[in-house]
Amino acid sequence: MATTETPKTTAQTTDTPRGLIALPQGIARVLIAVGAVGTIASTFMSWTYTSDFPGDLTYYGSPAGLQILALVAGALTLLYALTLWHVRGLNWLNPASAVAPVALAAASAFAVCWFSAIAIAVDLEGLIALDPGAYIAAIFSLAALLGALALPQPGDTPKSYLAKPENIPTAAKLPEWVERLVITAATAAALIVFAYGIGVDPDASETFLGYILLIVFGTWALFTAGLFDRISVLNARHKGFATSMAFLAAALFPFVENDEHNSNLGVNILVVATVALGLNIVVGLTGLLDLGYVAFLGVGAYAAALVSGSEFSRFSGVQFPFWAAMLTGMLASLVFGVLIGAPTLRLRGDYLAIVTLGFGEIFRITVNNLDGTSGPNITNGPNGISMIPDLEIFGFNFGTAHNIGSITIGRFANYFLLMLIITAIVVVVFTRAADSRIGRSWIAIREDETAATAMGINGFRVKLIAFALGASLAGLAGTVSAHVGYSVNPAPYQFAGSVPPNSAFLLAAVVLGGMGTVSGPILGATLLYLLPEKLGFLKEYQLFAFGIALVILMRFRPEGIIANRRRQLEFHDTGQLDIPESGLPDTTVGVTKAGA
Amino acid sequence: MTTTTATSPVLEATGVTMRFGGLTAVRGVDLTVNSGEIVGLIGPNGAGKTTFFNCLTGLYVPTEGRVAYKGTVLPPKPHLVTSAGIARTFQNIRLFANMTVLENVLVGRHTRTKEGLWSALLRGPGFRKAEAASRERAMELLEFIGLAHKADHLSRNLPYGEQRKLEIARAMASDPGLLLLDEPTAGMNPQETRATEELVFAIRDRGIAVLVIEHDMRFIFNLSDRVACLVQGQKLVEGTSDIVQNDERVIAAYLGTPFEGAPGSEEAAEVEAAEAAEAQGTTSTEGPAQ
């Protein structure tokens, strides 16, 4: 009897998916829910006694700073814990009833709470600085995490707690207006999340780090739940609607975050994002590694500055109207792009990279030397051209604040809206060019230049078009950036530096965000611009942090944060056949357990 | 189509010579392909077949000689050769791996469409029309090679044999008068080889002349109207399958000739003598030892 029973039980134990922590499932679930509720409750208590800690976490009854983040993380954990019980109305959050999103949501709460507690202890005078609220947050968030780890392990290794399950059912087709509503809601949520991040006080690096932790784990949780896939399906189905919603949300930004400093941040982000998008044509679509791209931004900025009517300009009497200044900037960059491209584009790969790097530096050094002593005085040398007057369109001066309803739109907010229009134009140019005969030939050249020429593509010509288009888009952004920043000088237009618009930064934005996509470089530029801005303590370690971030990303997600459609297909394509919906493993386990 | 223009030459290569420094890879090769004809090009490894192909398609500029397509001398640029009407495939598959099957074929349409950047940005009715026409033509070609159902797959994910087919479809998308196939059956199993044979015949029936490089002798001799054999950069013999198949120089080039005092030649001679004694009336005196 015993001999016949033993193999059976061993078979059962190997079959039964177990958690990392041995706890009955029911208790695990309750533990998560209680942990989440406790975390939420703790955010209404004081975490530290002094308001010295950024965000002022001393109040009872009103969460602030990191507590808000903990509150959101706790709420997310609670919602996902409830999906394990198949609570009505919440199933859409976790269509596959997977463990991974629950674990990741709990991890987000844990990360935020423990980070806060540790930060308080480190910033102030040790553990004594922690109020009971912080202890409660730490204990309950840990409980939730332990509960999540006690859930049956979905795969063979503990890693599977973090992996997206394969058998996520596809969403049922909803009525058209519901789908649009979902897109609207998702866009609004994204706007709120983004505006919160940008609105974090620059001195409150701790809060911003907590925000990053929450974003990373939270989006990861939503991703493993399959919600991002569903949204991207919806976006693809209502492409025009989704794009216009995204731009509408961006246009609402100055109204939501009505503060000149943040609007300035917004403009600068849009400038680098637009330039990164232009670079994406060259690097992402055509596969030409351009290390001197920032020079084109510089050419555009200088061209606009020279015809702006500034008294420091060589042509101070000349003041072009807005549209003419933009065209001048674009044309100057275009000419410069063709001049650089024509001799260099015969090279391939690394050689091209080195030569473009050289040309980029040539621009900066030339501008530095055209100061009247080393060469003819055109650019005013290292002093640059300052006091660039504000743009004026049809009598609308961008320098003065305007009132729309009860909301004041300040100088930077004006420029933000202008830049947003330019970004929209660049997005349209990018998408239309990419999905056409010329775009296909760019991609073909990136994939295999020899085969592309054998298919009748004039490689040089097509590459030059890509180069020139990328350059003129950067020039366009440059014209606005010159006016936004009041002045231009040669210093920022270098290969690598600690101030954002430099070639290495732009390239990093493209690679980090996802080459060949529209949203990738925009997201990449946003992240790379915002992180150093909000994390004041990084300062001189910025480039170092960049490097580490890139290495980590290349190790774990080489396709960038936002994967290209092709790359997505690549992952998608491996399972051509629809995987049959596997019978619920959880319930069968329950049955065998009950039977045993 | 085949009968009416059977005599007009599509491709005329005269005295094509390609030197890389001191090495002469192709030496004075003449080759003519008539319309509606399938011509095979064989030769041992390193004979210069692919180099000759590259000379024809403008990837290399021949040191000497001229290549003419339908009477006009071809410019030595690959993209101009393609737009003139010669399309090719590659020995080692060179698809655009991260593009879909359909997009690969659409790239092949490049020379037959004109829409530039401006029309792509403005998206006028002309652009839409041209794009729709390209797509239709591409789908038709995919139908032809039997890959229409996989139009949205990434080409890298196709099985090997289908990648070869797709390369042919991509080349055909440029509406060529002459198709150059560089080892189209390399690495294929017998069934796939037979299917490729059918495909090449079907291509010929569409009025496209075909020049094939191949090592699979059965394939090439079944397929070709004429076969040329390159050895060490020179054309050894050209003619119908039978002539080339039985040419002693060709056999020697592939299998080698026995020479005086070669190791094993005595044994070979003994065997031969025995065979001669056994089957009387044999005329062969220097055939290779079997």
Side-chain angles (χ1 to χ4, degrees):
Chain A
M1 275 283 278
T3 43
T4 48
E5 277 220 1
T6 21
K8 205 176 172 186
T9 41
T10 46
Q12 252 182 27
T13 45
T14 47
D15 280 348
T16 310
R18 278 175 152 271
L20 274 183
I21 296 158
L23 271 180
Q25 265 219 56
I27 295 181
R29 291 179 183 182
V30 171
L31 196 57
I32 304 169
V34 169
V37 171
T39 310
I40 293 170
S42 76
T43 62
F44 290 91
M45 301 159 98
S46 162
W47 282 16
T48 178
Y49 67 89
T50 161
S51 58
D52 288 350
F53 189 78
D56 197 356
L57 313 179
T58 58
Y59 295 104
Y60 276 86
S62 70
L66 281 164
Q67 291 174 323
I68 296 177
L69 300 170
L71 176 66
V72 173
L76 192 69
T77 315
L78 183 61
L79 284 176
Y80 270 103
L82 292 178
T83 62
L84 290 179
W85 277 294
H86 302 284
V87 174
R88 256 174 183 283
L90 288 180
N91 274 340
W92 61 273
L93 269 175
N94 193 357
S97 297
V99 169
V102 185
L104 282 161
S108 75
F110 174 78
V112 171
C113 292
W114 280 69
F115 167 76
S116 312
I118 292 169
I120 293 169
V122 170
D123 279 7
L124 306 175
E125 57 278 8
L127 289 178
I128 199 155
L130 295 175
D131 266 5
Y135 285 111
I136 291 174
I139 290 166
F140 277 94
S141 61
L142 178 65
L145 183 65
L146 292 179
L149 291 180
L151 290 174
Q153 186 173 307
D156 302 328
T157 54
K159 246 188 182 172
S160 59
Y161 279 114
L162 309 177
K164 190 167 95 169
E166 279 169 13
N167 52 346
I168 297 173
T170 47
K173 184 105 172 61
L174 295 164
E176 180 105 354
W177 65 273
V178 178
E179 291 192 343
R180 293 188 174 213
L181 206 64
V182 169
I183 294 175
T184 313
T187 318
L191 173 66
I192 291 167
V193 168
F194 178 73
Y196 181 84
I198 219 171
V200 171
D201 186 0
D203 295 330
S205 297
E206 289 84 351
T207 312
F208 197 77
L209 277 178
Y211 170 76
I212 294 291
L213 284 174
L214 175 61
I215 292 286
V216 168
F217 283 105
T219 48
W220 196 353
L222 296 182
F223 170 75
T224 54
L227 293 187
F228 278 98
D229 292 348
R230 290 189 166 189
I231 278 289
S232 57
V233 166
L234 286 187
N235 281 347
R237 210 178 285 159
H238 306 277
K239 214 170 186 179
F241 181 74
T243 317
S244 38
M245 280 315 290
F247 275 103
L248 185 67
L252 284 177
F253 170 74
F255 300 91
V256 176
E257 198 59 57
N258 193 10
D259 171 284
E260 276 297 88
H261 176 73
N262 291 338
S263 295
N264 187 15
L265 264 184
V267 184
N268 289 333
I269 286 174
L270 277 184
V271 169
V272 288
T274 309
V275 179
L277 207 52
L279 179 62
N280 199 16
I281 294 178
V282 181
V283 176
L285 290 184
T286 324
L288 308 167
L289 185 51
D290 184 352
L291 295 181
Y293 188 72
V294 80
F296 301 127
L297 179 72
V299 171
Y302 263 95
L306 284 173
V307 298
S308 66
S310 154
E311 51 186 290
F312 290 94
S313 158
R314 186 77 173 72
F315 317 104
S316 53
V318 185
Q319 181 164 13
F320 279 16
F322 160 75
W323 58 268
M326 274 192 175
L327 277 184
T328 313
M330 271 183 85
L331 274 178
S333 286
L334 181 83
V335 170
F336 195 67
V338 172
L339 280 181
I340 289 183
T344 57
L345 285 175
R346 295 173 197 282
L347 300 169
R348 289 191 189 186
D350 304 350
Y351 304 103
L352 178 72
I354 297 295
V355 172
T356 50
L357 173 64
F359 269 105
E361 289 296 292
I362 286 174
F363 165 76
R364 183 173 60 86
I365 293 164
T366 308
V367 167
N368 242 326
N369 286 328
L370 293 178
D371 57 355
T373 45
S374 312
N377 183 11
I378 296 174
T379 63
N380 235 0
N383 294 328
I385 300 166
S386 49
M387 289 178 69
I388 298 173
D390 279 305
L391 283 174
E392 211 174 300
I393 306 174
F394 307 125
F396 181 96
N397 191 314
F398 278 76
T400 53
H402 298 267
N403 287 320
I404 297 177
S406 59
I407 299 171
T408 309
I409 293 297
R411 178 178 184 270
F412 288 113
N414 286 333
Y415 278 113
F416 179 88
L417 293 175
L418 172 70
M419 200 54 220
L420 189 65
I421 294 171
I422 290 175
T423 308
I425 292 172
V426 173
V427 167
V428 169
V429 166
F430 182 90
T431 46
R432 289 197 164 182
D435 178 31
S436 72
R437 172 174 174 267
I438 191 97
R440 283 192 297 269
S441 52
W442 288 335
I443 299 167
I445 282 188
R446 182 190 69 195
E447 294 292 319
D448 187 334
E449 193 167 340
T450 308
T453 49
M455 289 305 112
I457 294 169
N458 183 346
F460 177 69
R461 191 186 132 87
V462 168
K463 284 195 284 185
L464 194 60
I465 292 175
F467 214 69
L469 181 66
S472 46
L473 294 181
L476 181 63
T479 54
V480 179
S481 85
H483 286 275
V484 175
Y486 298 108
S487 68
V488 288
N489 66 76
Y493 305 110
Q494 54 188 344
F495 171 65
S498 48
V499 199
N502 57 64
S503 296
F505 173 90
L506 294 171
L507 202 62
V510 172
V511 174
L512 192 83
M515 287 199 279
T517 60
V518 174
S519 39
I522 295 179
L523 182 70
T526 310
L527 280 179
L528 289 183
Y529 195 92
L530 212 52
L531 288 183
E533 194 73 29
K534 295 294 179 189
L535 303 177
F537 63 90
L538 270 180
K539 280 194 189 97
E540 58 266 45
Y541 300 110
Q542 241 183 66
L543 282 173
F544 179 62
F546 261 24
I548 291 189
L550 273 179
V551 169
I552 291 174
L553 194 86
M554 288 303 107
R555 167 63 185 81
F556 292 104
R557 200 169 160 83
E559 69 271 29
I561 298 171
I562 293 175
N564 186 341
R565 180 178 60 93
R566 297 169 203 292
R567 312 246 181 168
Q568 265 178 353
L569 264 176
E570 193 181 324
F571 297 119
H572 214 54
D573 233 24
T574 48
Q576 283 304 330
L577 307 165
D578 281 343
I579 301 160
E581 291 191 7
S582 56
L584 304 162
D586 277 7
T587 48
T588 46
V589 167
V591 169
T592 43
K593 260 188 185 165
Chain B
M1 182 109 190
T2 8
T3 47
T4 50
T5 53
T7 46
S8 67
V10 177
L11 178 83
E12 287 170 292
T14 38
V16 172
T17 300
M18 185 72 215
R19 286 196 199 92
F20 297 103
L23 177 83
T24 308
V26 177
R27 194 192 305 267
V29 174
D30 301 331
L31 188 74
T32 309
V33 180
N34 295 319
S35 67
E37 202 176 26
I38 299 175
V39 176
L41 189 60
I42 59 169
N45 286 324
K49 302 182 298 294
T50 299
T51 308
F52 181 61
F53 251 43
N54 287 344
C55 289
L56 295 185
T57 53
L59 278 178
Y60 295 154
V61 182
T63 327
E64 284 163 32
R66 68 191 268 279
V67 181
Y69 174 75
K70 287 187 178 167
T72 48
V73 175
L74 286 172
K77 280 270 194 298
H79 65 271
L80 297 178
V81 170
T82 310
S83 57
I86 297 181
R88 71 169 293 175
T89 67
F90 291 89
Q91 184 175 358
N92 39 354
I93 300 176
R94 301 190 84 150
L95 286 171
F96 306 121
N98 287 320
M99 295 176 93
T100 65
V101 168
L102 179 65
E103 282 171 330
N104 265 280
V105 183
L106 284 175
V107 170
R109 290 293 300 162
H110 189 88
T111 50
R112 301 294 168 244
T113 44
K114 291 193 295 291
E115 282 61 44
L117 183 61
W118 285 114
S119 69
L121 296 184
L122 299 175
R123 301 260 146 150
F127 175 84
R128 284 157 208 261
K129 218 165 153 189
E131 197 78 342
S134 290
R135 257 162 223 279
E136 199 180 318
R137 175 90 176 107
M139 282 312 291
E140 192 235 313
L141 278 169
L142 286 179
E143 205 83 55
F144 174 66
I145 58 157
L147 278 179
H149 61 291
K150 289 195 170 179
D152 289 330
H153 288 219
L154 284 190
S155 64
R156 66 187 302 153
N157 291 341
L158 291 186
Y160 184 82
E162 292 183 350
Q163 292 199 359
R164 284 255 177 235
K165 278 189 191 170
L166 177 56
E167 230 195 347
I168 294 174
R170 186 180 68 176
M172 284 175 70
S174 64
D175 295 338
L178 173 67
L179 185 61
L180 307 183
L181 303 176
D182 199 345
E183 298 199 21
T185 68
M188 282 187 172
N189 64 29
Q191 284 89 345
E192 286 173 324
T193 305
R194 214 161 303 134
T196 308
E197 210 175 296
E198 296 300 316
L199 182 62
V200 175
F201 280 130
I203 291 169
R204 195 259 310 267
D205 291 344
R206 290 181 152 220
I208 300 171
V210 184
L211 177 59
V212 197
I213 293 181
E214 194 43 79
H215 279 301
D216 186 329
M217 290 304 154
R218 183 176 301 167
F219 173 76
I220 203 100
F221 288 127
N222 274 345
L223 193 70
S224 311
D225 300 320
R226 268 186 305 129
V227 177
C229 180
L230 276 189
V231 175
Q232 293 185 346
Q234 281 172 302
K235 191 168 79 176
L236 205 60
V237 63
E238 186 188 332
T240 60
S241 300
D242 292 338
I243 295 172
V244 176
Q245 220 164 353
N246 297 317
D247 192 287
E248 277 163 7
R249 288 169 301 169
V250 174
I251 296 167
Y254 270 93
L255 301 173
T257 41
F259 55 92
E260 208 72 15
S265 63
E266 280 175 29
E267 289 88 333
E270 273 173 34
V271 171
E272 240 166 63
E275 276 177 355
E278 216 167 280
Q280 297 245 308
T282 37
T283 48
S284 156
T285 49
E286 54 152 351
Q290 293 285 328

